[in-house]
Amino acid sequence: MEKFKFLGLSEKTLPAIAKKGFTEPSPIQELTIPFLLDKDQDLIAQAQTGTGKTAAFALPILEKIERSSQPQVLILVPTRELAIQVAKEIHSLQGNRGLQIKPIYGGTAITKQFDQLKYGIDIIVGTPGRVLDLLSRKKMNLNHISHAVLDEADEMLNMGFIDDVEEILKQTNTHKRTLLFSATMPPEIIRIAKKYMHKYAVLSVKQQQITTDLTDQFYYRLKEQEKLEVLCRLMDIEKEFYGLVFCRTRGDVDKLTTSLIERGYAADGMHGEITQKLREKVLSKFRQKKINILVATDVAARGMDIPELTHVVNYAMTQHPEAYVHRIGRTGRAGKQGTAISFVTNSDLKALHMVERYTKDSIRQQNIPKVRDIIRYKKARIRDRIHDISESRLDDSFMKMADELLEKNDANKIVAAILQQHYHKDLDKSLYKEIQPVSQETRSKSFRKNKRPHHTGKRVWQNKHPFAKKAVKIYA
Ligand code: ADP
Ligand code: MG
C-alpha cells in the first residue's frame, strides 16, 4: 500500500485499493499514475492484457473529479462486457466519492439510459455505437468533459469502430485530456493520436515475457475427429476443471456445447450471435460455477470478466499469436497456477511454431491421457472423496443402515456393492473411444460405438464441480 501512496494517490483512494486486495501497483500503473497526476499532457499507454490498465487510468482520474450534473469522463470500450466490467472496476476504486459511473451499451433499452443521463453520469463507460446514438439524439452532452479515454484501443480498431470513435471525439470539447490505452500499438493508433491529441507522451511496458510462468502450456497432437474425445479425457483426468474452450466459429461452439452436454458435462456456449440477455445469463451461470465449461469464440470471450480459470483450451488452435496470448492470459492469474492446452492438428503446426516464436516460450507436447490412467485417477479421487465423507459427520440414519448391512453381510462385499452401484458408469472403460497415436497412419477401425451415458444434472455436478469434495460433504 505504501507504494500506491508513494505514487501520489490520496487517502480518499487508498482504502478502496486496499479493499480490492491490491498490494502493489502493476508496472503500467507505476508509470501512468504519477504522470497523470502531475502532468497535464495527453497520453498513450501500452501494456499487455491483464496488467491493470483500467486502474492505471481510473485511479488518477478519480483523484481529479467531483460529482457534477454533466458527464466529466468518457471512456470508450469495444464491447458491452468491457463496458460493464470497466464501470464495475472503477466503481470499486472510487471509495466513497459518490460518483455516478455507468456502462452505456447497445442491446438494452435506450430510454433507461436517457433517465440515467438526465440524473447525471460523471463517468460514462460506453461502446462507440451506443454513445454515438445518444449523441445524435442529443441525449448526451460531451462538451464539458475533462477526460476522454480510449480503452482497449487496438480492439476498437480491430472491430472497426474507429470511425465511430473519431466521430465521437469530434463531438467533445477540445480542452480535455485524451488518454489512449492499448495492449498493442498498431500504426493506426498513432495516426489517431496525432489527429486528436495535443502534446502527448507514450508510456509503455515492454513485454519481456508475454506469457506467465504460472501458466503451464502444452499441446496434444491429434486429428480433428478426435478432439471431442481428447477434451473429455482431459477434463476427466484433471482434478479441477473450470475453463474456457475456444472454437473457431459459432457453429463449432454450438456443436461442441451440445456434444459435451450429451456426454453429461456441465457446459454452455457463447458466441457473437446470442442475445445480450442470454450472454449475461450464461456468464452468470459460469461465474457462479453452475457450469464449469464455457465454450466460446474469440469475439464472444473478449472482455469477459471471469475469475481465475484453471484451464484454457485451444480446441481450435488460433492462427494469430496475439490471440493465443490473449486467450491463455485468462488463466495463471493473480498468483494462481493455470494450464493452457492447445489441440494441434497437422494443419496447425505452422501456427504453433508462430506462437512459440512470438512468445519466446516453448510449448511442450504431451501424450493424450490413456484410458487406464484416467480410470486410475478417477479411482484415486473416489477413494479420497469417500475417505473425506467418512471423516465428516455422518447422518444417523445412514449409520444405522450400515450397522444393519454389516450385521448380515461381508464388509468387503458391501463396500464393493455400494461402489459398483454408485460409480460403475464413471469407471466404465468402454465409454472412451480409441485414439491412435498421430504418427501411426494406419488407424484401427475399431472405434467403439458406445456412447457415454446421459447423466442427470445433479450427478454430473457432483462429479464435475471443481469443488466436488465440498459439494459431497454437504450431503454427508
Ligand atoms: P487490462 O485492462 O490491462 O487487461 P484490467 O484492468 O482488466 O487489465 O485488470 C486485470 C485484473 O487485475 C483485474 O481483475 C484488476 O482488478 C486486477 N488488478 C489491477 N491492478 C492490480 C494490482 N495493482 N494488483 C492486483 N490486481 C490488480
Ligand atoms: Mg483493459
Side-chain angles (χ1 to χ4, degrees), residues 258-282:
T258 310
S259 305
L260 287 172
I261 292 169
E262 267 173 12
R263 282 168 170 73
Y265 293 95
D268 211 334
M270 191 126 114
H271 51 64
E273 285 293 273
I274 62 177
T275 62
Q276 174 65 9
K277 218 171 164 182
L278 191 59
R279 275 168 86 89
E280 272 161 22
K281 220 164 119 186
V282 172

Side-chain angles (χ1 to χ4, degrees), residues 47-55 57 77-78 82 85-86 151-152 181-183 303:
Q48 69 196 75
T49 301
T51 54
K53 290 194 288 299
T54 314
F57 61 76
V77 295
L82 269 172
Q85 182 188 322
V86 168
D151 190 22
E152 312 284 346
F181 278 71
S182 189

Side-chain angles (χ1 to χ4, degrees), residues 302-358:
R302 190 166 293 147
M304 228 160 53
D305 181 32
I306 30 187
E308 307 100 26
L309 298 173
T310 62
H311 292 76
V312 169
V313 180
N314 294 308
Y315 193 80
M317 184 65 182
T318 168
Q319 306 300 313
H320 307 287
E322 297 91 349
Y324 176 88
V325 173
H326 212 282
R327 286 176 175 190
I328 77 161
R330 297 172 168 284
T331 183
R333 279 182 178 180
K336 296 221 172 114
Q337 193 78 43
T339 308
I341 304 129
S342 300
F343 285 10
V344 175
T345 63
N346 282 341
S347 56
D348 295 322
L349 282 170
K350 211 172 124 202
L352 176 76
H353 295 136
M354 261 161 59
V355 167
E356 286 187 310
R357 264 206 308 278
Y358 178 78

Side-chain angles (χ1 to χ4, degrees), residues 421-432:
Q421 165 72 14
H422 203 74
Y423 295 109
H424 75 279
K425 280 181 184 160
D426 287 305
L427 300 178
D428 183 353
K429 289 193 193 69
S430 69
L431 302 177
Y432 295 94

